[in-house]
Amino acid sequence: DAGVTQSPTHLIKTRGQQVTLRCSPKSGHDTVSWYQQALGQGPQFIFQYYEEEERQRGNFPDRFSGHQFPNYSSELNVNALLLGDSALYLCASSLGGPKETQYFGPGTRLLVL
Amino acid sequence: AQKITQTQPGMFVQEKEAVTLDCTYDTSDPSYGLFWYKQPSSGEMIFLIYQGSYDQQNATEGRYSLNFQKARKSANLVISASQLGDSAMYFCAMSPLYNKLIFGAGTRLAVHP
């Protein structure tokens, strides 16, 4: 049973560029959540997708956008990259009900120069 | 405001001894879930244990147990018989609604032989 997978594992971009991160959920899961973890901090919730719709959003600017596909996989897009966007981006999958356990992927480390 | 507080930036424990990692939370929601995750240096968040706000019994999963004191709004993680592989960051998290996780700042645990 494959767990949550993310690609790429590492990425280096320059300020102003755009980036797309990808996530495949654990088999049987229909909900994908994205988190940003800056160095030395706990993860911060970006948004959650369920049934191809954004169900919840955290306190992140519109530069952060996402998409969920019919097979439940998801993308996170960040436009106009800033130095402060450098972080570990974690994807988590779960079932769609309340308080379901989220299972995380290995993350994508993004460095913005 | 919904918040998780972990007051111990770092903890040390001798191999084979037990250790308690502290977590307090703040929410006005009557229904919520509490989670503990382990994050090794590789970055992946590993789910350890879950406690629902209406659960009467404290959760246990192998060597992990959650000391849930609802009136005090605390959800401490107890690791029994510590192993060298337990050295990692540990995050307490709360899910008030639809799986959005709110994380604390984490506690770094070091297990000494």
Side-chain angles (χ1 to χ4, degrees), chain B residues 3 18 28 49 56 73:
Chain B
K3 187 178 179 182
S28 56
I49 196 166
Q56 297 297 314
K73 293 191 174 180

Side-chain angles (χ1 to χ4, degrees), chain A residues 46-96:
Chain A
I46 302 175
F47 43 54
Q48 182 180 89
Y49 278 85
Y50 173 69
E51 293 188 344
E52 302 180 54
E53 297 284 334
E54 184 183 286
R55 178 157 71 176
Q56 261 195 309
R57 188 179 182 92
N59 189 24
F60 279 81
D62 292 344
R63 298 187 298 110
F64 289 77
S65 64
H67 189 77
Q68 186 178 35
F69 299 94
N71 66 353
Y72 306 121
S73 67
S74 177
E75 289 182 348
L76 164 65
N77 300 293
V78 187
N79 294 323
L81 284 167
L82 304 174
L83 296 180
D85 294 333
S86 295
L88 177 67
Y89 288 84
L90 294 163
C91 167
S93 76
S94 60
L95 295 172

Side-chain angles (χ1 to χ4, degrees), chain B residues 72-85:
Chain B
R72 297 180 60 186
K73 293 191 174 180
S74 73
N76 298 339
L77 177 69
V78 180
I79 305 174
S80 62
S82 296
Q83 301 172 357
L84 296 178

Side-chain angles (χ1 to χ4, degrees), chain B residues 1-105:
Chain B
Q2 294 163 338
K3 187 178 179 182
I4 293 283
T5 302
Q6 295 181 254
T7 58
Q8 307 155 314
M11 289 285 286
F12 297 91
V13 66
Q14 205 75 21
E15 193 178 9
K16 299 180 185 177
E17 293 185 347
V19 63
T20 298
L21 305 183
D22 295 341
C23 171
T24 58
Y25 61 92
D26 188 17
T27 181
S28 56
D29 292 335
S31 178
Y32 50 89
L34 295 159
F35 302 81
W36 278 91
Y37 287 87
K38 171 184 177 182
Q39 188 176 43
S41 56
S42 60
E44 183 170 353
M45 300 286 279
I46 301 168
F47 166 71
L48 296 178
I49 196 166
Y50 164 80
Q51 178 87 41
S53 58
Y54 291 121
D55 294 343
Q56 297 297 314
Q57 303 276 354
N58 285 343
T60 59
E61 289 284 351
R63 295 187 298 111
Y64 304 107
S65 61
L66 200 152
N67 185 0
F68 180 46
Q69 297 187 41
K70 193 171 184 177
R72 297 180 60 186
K73 293 191 174 180
S74 73
N76 298 339
L77 177 69
V78 180
I79 305 174
S80 62
S82 296
Q83 301 172 357
L84 296 178
D86 293 335
S87 295
M89 284 291 292
Y90 287 81
F91 289 95
C92 179
M94 175 174 63
S95 175
L97 184 68
Y98 287 125
N99 295 349
K100 167 187 173 180
L101 284 173
I102 299 166
F103 285 86

Side-chain angles (χ1 to χ4, degrees), chain A residues 33-47:
Chain A
S33 303
W34 287 92
Y35 294 83
Q36 180 195 65
Q37 186 178 20
L39 197 61
Q41 298 181 22
Q44 299 289 318
F45 175 75
I46 302 175
F47 43 54

